[in-house]
Amino acid sequence: MASNQNSNLVPLRKGLPVIIWILTFVRVINCANSTSFHSSTDIFHDLHVCPYNGSDHLCYYQGVQTEGYARGYHTILDDTYKETTTVQSGNGTLPSDLHEMRVINGKTALITIYQTGPYNLSAYGIGPGNGWVIDGVFQEVDIKTGKVLFEWRSLDHVPLSATLIPLRLDAVVGDGLTNGSAWDYFHINSVDKNNDGDYLVSARHTSCIYKVSGKNGSIIWQLGGNQSSFQLRDYNFSYQHDARFREENETTTILSFFDNASNKHKNTSSTSSGKIISIDHNTDTSTLLREYHAPGNGLLSFFQGNTQILPNKNVVIGWGTHPSISEHTEDGTAIFFATLESPDAQNYRAFKANWTAKPSDPPALRTYSPSTNSATTFWVSWNGATDVDRWRIHATSPESDEFMPLDMTTYVSSSYHPRAFAEAIAANGSSLANSSVVDASSSLPGSD
């Protein structure tokens, strides 16, 4: 997006297209040797376009991250980037987690909670009264009132024996000895809801996707894991993320998800992939419909990742451990692939979306001329504005204090202009907003 309004301003140019890529990145400590996440008081996570109150908004998570989960809340911004509301967990649970915030029908939000608590782990070699476990919880919350409409807890329905991740595997899994190192046996990482009011839950540490009754929370069926309700005929998956309902009727269910195929300690495939699968409820079998791999030799992502299906049936993949994104046609052909060069970045989820916004803050302008006998260069930024087609610079001259529009093919005037302001112009020629009037500076942007 556009540069910071106070420094590093970009040369004046056309604005953003209406289709934007949104990537949510996480930084890790010593990512070559550890899966430990860096703790921060300013984690901003899972930015995406979400429908709320009849229009598109931006949703994101803010909180404190420790190991594989976080404590915080979810913020919803309108198309001027003003905070509309926040969504928080309820019913006396701990603050919500970063893994999921999905708006349903523009009115409610699905959120996850990593609820640590004491638990009898004597069967796992921890003395009675000394064990700690993370309960994978999700809630559906009324955004306007904050009321919890539905709550589900993994420990009420999924036994510890379902996990594929043993105690003490790594710091994310935990050793079960303290509240801060509770055993993350389930690791809930996505929740969805269908038109019948039932839910779809993905749990990384059981390598399983669960359909949960919206009436009583019971498990209707489970795909994958060590007690799958269906036979997987021509594929497998493990440690998955981002499971979503796609189509469903009495006999068939179609899902999409990101198959990590690895937890860094064990692999079920040499590469990760986006998958679309079908479940046949008459035969209790599941088959692979389509699979999407990164170009070349593929990528293996130990954690994170998502699969987004666009309205035109193209598929966007966020590659998790790798700070990469790709877009594919429905048949799997890759038509876009990009990777950030930052060595310690990872991509939790990536989205492609239409987004139109007009920030409440005005544009920012900076002008530079080393002397009153020199040319003047203009930089402008309107951070987050999407409808700017071009900029018109209005400036004074040494001979006159009257602001006149400058006729420039580039954004450098051969003349000295003591004062100026920038006007944002839309594609139809209408004026969107003006910057403040600024004086020409004899120092370059960012040097003072």
Side-chain angles (χ1 to χ4, degrees):
M1 290 187 178
S3 302
N4 183 283
Q5 293 187 0
N6 297 316
S7 63
N8 301 322
L9 300 182
V10 295
L12 197 128
R13 57 178 174 79
K14 287 189 176 182
L16 294 171
V18 296
I19 296 179
I20 61 174
W21 290 93
I22 299 178
L23 291 84
T24 301
F25 291 99
V26 177
R27 294 189 177 276
V28 297
I29 298 176
N30 192 17
C31 63
N33 300 309
S34 172
T35 55
S36 297
F37 285 87
H38 180 57
S39 295
S40 168
T41 57
D42 292 305
I43 292 292
F44 297 92
H45 201 73
D46 197 25
L47 176 69
H48 60 282
V49 177
C50 58
Y52 174 59
N53 241 3
S55 64
D56 283 341
H57 286 63
L58 286 180
C59 294
Y60 68 91
Y61 177 86
Q62 181 176 354
V64 179
Q65 186 170 1
T66 303
E67 304 300 348
Y69 60 92
R71 310 287 190 212
Y73 59 94
H74 309 267
T75 298
I76 301 179
L77 306 179
D78 66 15
D79 60 4
T80 68
Y81 301 102
K82 288 184 177 180
E83 181 180 301
T84 299
T85 189
T86 60
V87 179
Q88 303 184 50
S89 57
N91 287 355
T93 59
L94 292 168
S96 62
D97 169 65
L98 57 81
H99 281 88
E100 185 66 280
M101 196 280 199
R102 188 165 181 84
V103 175
I104 303 297
N105 296 326
K107 296 180 180 179
T108 66
L110 300 175
I111 61 174
T112 52
I113 303 155
Y114 278 50
Q115 186 74 22
T116 56
Y119 202 85
N120 183 358
L121 294 178
S122 57
Y124 298 89
I126 296 177
N130 295 324
W132 290 82
V133 168
I134 297 178
D135 197 357
V137 180
F138 80 81
Q139 293 177 343
E140 182 170 7
V141 180
D142 185 291
I143 296 174
K144 186 175 183 179
T145 66
K147 181 181 179 181
V148 176
L149 305 178
F150 187 87
E151 179 177 293
W152 185 87
R153 294 172 176 255
S154 64
L155 285 173
D156 292 338
H157 305 279
V158 181
L160 298 183
S161 59
T163 191
L164 302 179
I165 307 296
L167 271 167
R168 307 179 185 89
L169 180 66
D170 55 35
V172 173
V173 174
D175 58 17
L177 295 176
T178 68
N179 182 42
S181 63
W183 183 16
D184 186 5
Y185 90 104
F186 193 70
H187 200 88
I188 187 171
N189 59 27
S190 72
V191 188
D192 199 8
K193 188 178 184 180
N194 66 11
N195 293 331
D196 294 328
D198 298 321
Y199 301 92
L200 192 70
V201 175
S202 169
R204 175 175 179 250
H205 287 175
T206 62
S207 291
C208 193
I209 299 169
Y210 305 86
K211 183 178 181 181
V212 172
S213 169
K215 296 179 180 178
N216 56 27
S218 63
I219 294 176
I220 299 173
W221 50 252
Q222 52 194 65
L223 177 71
N226 59 19
Q227 291 186 336
S228 181
S229 305
F230 311 103
Q231 178 187 0
L232 280 61
R233 281 191 165 170
D234 53 359
Y235 76 101
N236 60 51
F237 69 91
S238 62
Y239 314 110
Q240 76 292 330
H241 286 74
D242 193 38
R244 305 296 174 193
F245 286 116
R246 294 302 170 189
E247 299 176 36
E248 197 170 27
N249 56 40
E250 292 182 357
T251 62
T252 305
T253 299
I254 296 177
L255 308 177
S256 68
F257 56 88
F258 182 79
D259 175 18
N260 293 80
S262 177
N263 68 346
K264 195 174 183 179
H265 305 279
K266 181 180 180 181
N267 301 342
T268 55
S269 178
S270 60
T271 59
S272 304
S273 62
K275 281 183 166 64
I276 300 177
I277 63 93
S278 176
I279 297 172
D280 186 328
H281 296 286
N282 288 328
T283 62
D284 289 336
T285 58
S286 177
T287 56
L288 180 68
L289 297 180
R290 290 182 290 279
E291 190 170 30
Y292 301 90
H293 291 273
N297 296 324
L299 296 170
L300 185 64
S301 297
F302 303 134
F303 34 79
Q304 307 172 86
N306 72 304
T307 300
Q308 178 194 17
I309 301 179
L310 301 176
N312 66 356
K313 296 186 179 180
N314 281 8
V315 176
V316 171
I317 307 291
W319 290 100
T321 310
H322 303 273
S324 303
I325 52 176
S326 63
E327 182 176 354
H328 308 254
T329 57
E330 186 179 16
D331 66 3
T333 303
I335 58 174
F336 179 86
F337 183 78
T339 301
L340 289 189
E341 291 186 354
S342 177
D344 59 351
Q346 298 172 1
N347 180 12
Y348 178 61
R349 288 177 180 169
F351 302 95
K352 187 178 182 182
N354 290 294
W355 175 246
T356 302
K358 183 180 180 181
S360 56
D361 294 333
L365 175 68
R366 180 70 183 268
T367 67
Y368 166 70
S369 183
S371 73
T372 58
N373 297 317
S374 301
T376 306
T377 303
F378 301 91
W379 286 266
V380 68
S381 173
W382 198 11
N383 199 2
T386 60
D387 286 345
V388 180
D389 180 70
R390 60 191 182 277
W391 295 91
R392 182 179 295 135
I393 300 298
H394 303 258
T396 64
S397 67
E399 295 78 24
S400 173
D401 290 335
E402 183 180 1
F403 288 92
M404 298 295 293
L406 302 184
D407 184 14
M408 299 183 297
T409 56
T410 66
Y411 300 110
V412 178
S413 171
S414 60
S415 302
Y416 172 69
H417 299 281
R419 310 186 77 201
F421 69 88
E423 180 185 12
I425 307 296
N428 63 5
S430 63
S431 178
L432 296 173
N434 292 342
S435 74
S436 300
V437 174
V438 300
D439 296 328
S441 173
S442 60
S443 59
L444 284 168
S447 63
D448 56 7

